[in-house]
Amino acid sequence: MSRSYLHIPRWVAAVLLAVALIGGGILALELKDWSGHEVFGAGNLQLTTARNLAPISLGTFSNGFAAVLKPALPAVVNIHTSKIVKSRGGQMMPFFNDPFFRQFFGDQGQGFGQQQQEPQNEREQSLGSGVIITSDGTIVTNNHVIDGATDIKVDLSDKREFNAKLVGRDEKTDIAVLKIEATNLPTATVGDSSKLQVGDVVFAIGDPFGIGETATMGIVSATGRAGLGIEGYEDFIQTDAAINPGNSGGAMIDLHGDLIGINTAILTGGSGGNQGVGFAIPINMARAVMDQIVGHGKVVRGYLGLYPQDVSPALAKQFGLSKLGGALVSGIKPDTPAAKAGLKDGDVILELNGEPVTSANDLRLRVSQTAPGTNVKLQVWRDGRTQDVGVTLGELPGEKSAQAAPGQSSSEGLEGVDVENLSPDDARQLQLDPATRGVVVTSVDPASAAAAAGLERGCVIEEVNHKPVRTVEEYRQALAAAGKQQQILLLVQFQGGATNYMIIESH
């Protein structure tokens, strides 16, 4: 019997290899000719990648990615909310107060215009998305989708509509959990976001602009994105899959159809629409928050009670570190686990339970995800050597955390900065601990390098080059002792109590 042969161009083979690598599993290739016969030598071809996940057959993609999306689509819902807001007065008929129109309408028109100045109650509508996690109606979405809502409705893909109950929410991660009274609902298969890699194919599913359920495709552009100022705890998946207004709370799935993220935010560049930079909350974080909300009604987080900051190259040099990484302790709150364990300003936390600490955000995330009462071991760099410190974590207080302090920057010195002794009244007005010692900054020249470095009126300088300064005289002596040093290290406390190290570079 003769055999038919199928020529495979090199670019096709390259695409197949890329799909296999992106999928992160084993791609079994079954190549046949038009008559359905197996192509010679191709029947046992397999491409194996480092991740040993379930095989994906080439037949899965014979019509694109429909087989991946079809099971996931019914688990994504539309959420529409409403709330009562006060309208701003004068929005309806502002022209009645214009002299040009008053010559036509006279006092009658003026009176009508004045009536419109009174603020009135209005019902504000908003749209978002959500993902069904359990078959009996547990739905996860973003907190900002339902924030302030007086009623929440959920539309399923089969056109059924339900009133939803808010189970709980967590502002710090922007996660909310809803419940609808239903059974046998389609659910998302929860994946493992820790296995994501840059380049993995992902799909974003939601209801952008309220036009209906929509799926878009892209890749993972980055993982562990933080420092964006979007949420209190950030560990975002970044993607170029189109995410638009209304997608918030929707699903991000991988090539296996597993839920690996909750779509949350976009960078718009001022346009209001997708610019190829979108963010999703990793499902591992979202699931942990959801489980706590369902189980306890709130999220309980571990707590150290210190202010961490990233270690820049200049700070690493100042503290004698040979490489970057870790979290620099720039302040300790009184009577907290960190204070009781003997941690000090200037310590650099290098490891948490034997795992390297890569940044201040890494430390905050890992501590927050550890149960209060847990004993943890920190490896700390102090005075040129490492030592182990054991800490029993407390529970993160419920009040709002202090705002992050401005970061360090370069400066020509402290020219343009005026200081005075910190009085008890100053400390009270600045919402500082009464035991705070230092000199308070009374003015900063806006054109000075110190202002560019983040130093501002109301800051309290507690240390100069590791030397405590309690008076203006000690402050001046410490600066004089620095002489012509090119770098001066300040420990600065900001209004509200947050502290930060700041490097001033003299030129």
Side-chain angles (χ1 to χ4, degrees):
M1 175 187 289
S2 64
R3 291 183 180 270
S4 299
Y5 292 86
L6 180 63
H7 175 68
I8 305 175
R10 289 185 178 181
W11 70 268
V12 173
V15 169
L16 296 177
L17 177 59
V19 170
L21 293 175
I22 290 171
I26 301 174
L27 177 61
L29 303 182
E30 186 179 4
L31 305 180
K32 297 184 179 180
D33 63 15
W34 293 111
S35 64
H37 294 97
E38 182 182 319
V39 177
F40 178 73
N44 295 321
L45 180 61
Q46 286 191 331
L47 297 176
T48 304
T49 65
R51 289 170 57 197
N52 187 22
L53 299 179
I56 301 177
S57 169
L58 184 61
T60 300
F61 308 112
S62 60
N63 291 312
F65 297 98
V68 177
L69 288 163
K70 188 175 181 179
L73 289 171
V76 181
V77 300
N78 169 262
I79 297 174
H80 48 106
T81 67
S82 63
K83 60 183 176 181
I84 304 299
V85 297
K86 286 280 187 182
S87 65
R88 289 181 296 176
Q91 297 300 306
M92 297 296 292
M93 302 291 181
F95 52 80
F96 279 116
N97 288 324
D98 191 300
F100 175 79
F101 286 99
R102 284 178 60 186
Q103 66 179 311
F104 297 104
F105 293 98
D107 292 338
Q108 266 191 321
Q110 184 181 10
F112 183 75
Q114 289 173 346
Q115 291 174 4
Q116 294 301 312
Q117 298 298 317
E118 294 295 326
Q120 299 180 1
N121 288 334
E122 291 184 351
R123 184 171 291 275
E124 182 178 276
Q125 308 281 344
S126 62
L127 294 171
S129 305
V131 186
I132 304 173
I133 300 297
T134 66
S135 61
D136 62 350
T138 301
I139 296 170
V140 65
T141 185
N142 285 141
N143 176 62
H144 74 261
V145 169
I146 54 83
D147 189 27
T150 53
D151 52 51
I152 306 169
K153 295 187 182 297
V154 171
D155 293 332
L156 305 187
S157 60
D158 60 9
K159 308 304 181 184
R160 286 186 291 168
E161 183 181 86
F162 293 86
N163 290 319
K165 173 187 175 183
L166 176 62
V167 178
R169 61 197 185 99
D170 179 47
E171 294 182 358
K172 289 183 171 64
T173 55
D174 198 19
I175 289 293
V177 180
L178 308 178
K179 185 71 167 63
I180 60 175
E181 296 302 322
T183 57
N184 299 320
L185 295 175
T187 62
T189 301
V190 177
D192 183 355
S193 53
S194 69
K195 294 181 179 179
L196 282 178
Q197 301 178 51
V198 174
D200 284 352
V201 170
V202 291
F203 304 88
I205 308 173
D207 185 7
F209 303 108
I211 62 174
E213 192 168 62
T214 302
T216 57
M217 174 181 169
I219 65 168
V220 173
S221 305
T223 59
R225 280 283 190 242
L228 304 176
I230 301 174
E231 317 296 356
Y233 291 95
E234 296 181 342
D235 188 28
F236 291 119
I237 303 164
Q238 182 182 326
T239 181
D240 64 349
I243 297 175
N244 286 292
N247 272 115
S248 289
M252 176 177 285
I253 66 172
D254 63 14
L255 204 57
H256 297 270
D258 294 340
L259 178 67
I260 45 85
I262 302 297
N263 304 325
T264 297
I266 55 175
L267 291 182
T268 65
S271 69
N274 174 62
Q275 297 291 310
V277 183
F279 302 99
I281 300 169
I283 194 58
N284 290 10
M285 175 186 283
R287 182 63 184 268
V289 170
M290 186 195 76
D291 288 345
Q292 289 211 51
I293 289 174
V294 172
H296 309 293
K298 65 174 184 177
V299 179
V300 179
R301 294 185 167 91
Y303 176 65
L304 272 175
L306 53 79
Y307 296 103
Q309 70 180 92
D310 290 338
V311 179
S312 66
L315 285 171
K317 183 178 179 181
Q318 280 284 331
F319 286 90
L321 291 167
S322 60
K323 61 180 181 179
L324 298 180
L328 173 63
V329 178
S330 58
I332 303 285
K333 296 181 181 179
D335 196 30
T336 60
K340 294 174 182 177
L343 288 171
K344 300 179 180 179
D345 295 347
D347 285 346
V348 180
I349 300 175
L350 302 176
E351 292 184 0
L352 172 62
N353 287 339
E355 295 294 327
V357 172
T358 60
S359 65
N361 185 69
D362 179 38
L363 177 66
R364 291 181 69 246
L365 276 175
R366 288 165 60 184
V367 169
S368 72
Q369 293 167 0
T370 305
T374 302
N375 295 317
V376 298
K377 185 175 73 172
L378 304 177
Q379 185 187 79
V380 173
W381 178 262
R382 179 187 296 172
D383 298 330
R385 62 187 182 87
T386 60
Q387 58 182 280
D388 291 335
V389 177
V391 185
T392 301
L393 298 182
E395 180 178 336
L396 182 70
E399 69 270 8
K400 291 183 179 179
S401 58
Q403 293 183 348
Q408 67 273 6
S409 181
S410 62
S411 173
E412 293 183 357
L414 296 183
E415 294 182 3
V417 178
D418 293 325
V419 300
E420 64 181 30
N421 293 332
L422 179 69
S423 68
D425 285 341
D426 292 334
R428 186 165 51 253
Q429 291 178 10
L430 295 172
Q431 300 175 347
L432 303 178
D433 187 282
T436 301
R437 297 291 180 267
V439 294
V440 62
V441 176
T442 57
S443 68
V444 181
D445 184 350
S448 69
L455 199 65
E456 56 189 26
R457 185 176 183 272
C459 289
V460 175
I461 300 174
E462 297 183 326
E463 292 182 6
V464 175
N465 287 345
H466 301 292
K467 295 180 180 179
V469 292
R470 293 163 293 184
T471 65
V472 173
E473 182 61 28
E474 290 181 354
Y475 164 77
R476 290 173 177 166
Q477 289 176 359
L479 285 177
K484 296 183 178 180
Q485 281 184 225
Q486 297 207 347
Q487 293 185 331
I488 298 173
L489 183 70
L490 302 180
L491 178 60
V492 178
Q493 186 168 173
F494 297 86
Q495 185 171 353
T499 56
N500 227 35
Y501 280 101
M502 181 181 297
I503 289 182
I504 308 298
E505 294 188 1
S506 301
H507 297 283

